[in-house]
Amino acid sequence: MKKITKISMQQNGERYNIFLDEAFFCGVTEDTLVKLRLKKGMEVDEADLAEIIKEENNNKCFNYAVFLLGKRNYFEKNLIEKLKQKEYDDEAISLALEKLYDYGYLDDRRLTEAFVRDKKKFSKKGPRYIASVLKTKGVEAEVIRQAIEENYQEDEALTNCKGLVLKKLEYYKKKTDDTYTLKGKLYAFLAQRGYHSEVIKKAIDEVLREQEADEI
């Protein structure tokens, strides 16, 4: 058995030093002190010491996650990867994620909705492209489906698609005077941007009809 002979606050005022039998043992957060009820004069065995280290590791993992989220938003999968890079174990990461969701610091559904709106508005990407990127970020398929369904209407996709047709039309007209080939090139370009075939065909046909009407 060992005895906690001293608990002193570190200079930053956020952590505490634990001394066992007058020798420094480790630094801990206030959360660890409170949860494990550590105090001067307390006797601890090897199991107690292991619990202190474990609890402190859990707190460090959570605090690092909060630090990361304070700098930018992360999807759960990306955040887990960051925490694993710091060599936090699965239990510490799992506990951190649970607290983050409870506190509202981590919310894949909210972030997915924001991602859809951002890509729709600023990048003019189509629903299929957005869904593909979100899938690589580890977002659940149903969350992706709902976010796109609720935040990316078909008329918005058509408007974006037509805008892209207008942007590329003159460029492709310089490469071919064949309407069939022109449509093919536009279709391929829009498909790469992530739009569905029905929307692509409608956008191309509407823009070409409008162009023909203006030329009459």
Side-chain angles (χ1 to χ4, degrees), residues 108-123:
D108 267 12
R109 189 176 297 275
R110 173 180 55 78
L111 194 55
T112 297
E113 292 175 352
F115 185 89
V116 172
R117 292 192 295 268
D118 180 76
K119 294 301 179 185
K120 172 187 70 176
K121 182 176 181 180
F122 299 108
S123 301

Side-chain angles (χ1 to χ4, degrees), residues 115-126 129-130 152 160-161 164 167 189 193-195:
F115 185 89
V116 172
R117 292 192 295 268
D118 180 76
K119 294 301 179 185
K120 172 187 70 176
K121 182 176 181 180
F122 299 108
S123 301
K124 308 300 182 185
K125 298 294 188 182
Y129 174 92
I130 294 172
Y152 206 157
N160 280 348
C161 211
L164 291 172
K167 185 177 181 180
F189 168 70
R193 303 287 289 189
Y195 290 93

Side-chain angles (χ1 to χ4, degrees), residues 16 20 24 26-27 36 38 41 62 74 88 100 103-104 110 121 126 143 151 161 174-175 188 194 199 202-203 215:
Y16 296 81
L20 302 178
F24 174 76
C26 72
L36 300 183
L38 303 177
F62 173 72
Y74 282 88
Y88 290 113
L100 291 169
Y103 295 158
R110 173 180 55 78
K121 182 176 181 180
V143 173
N151 296 276
C161 211
K174 292 177 181 179
K175 292 183 174 292
V199 173
K202 188 174 182 179
E215 291 172 359

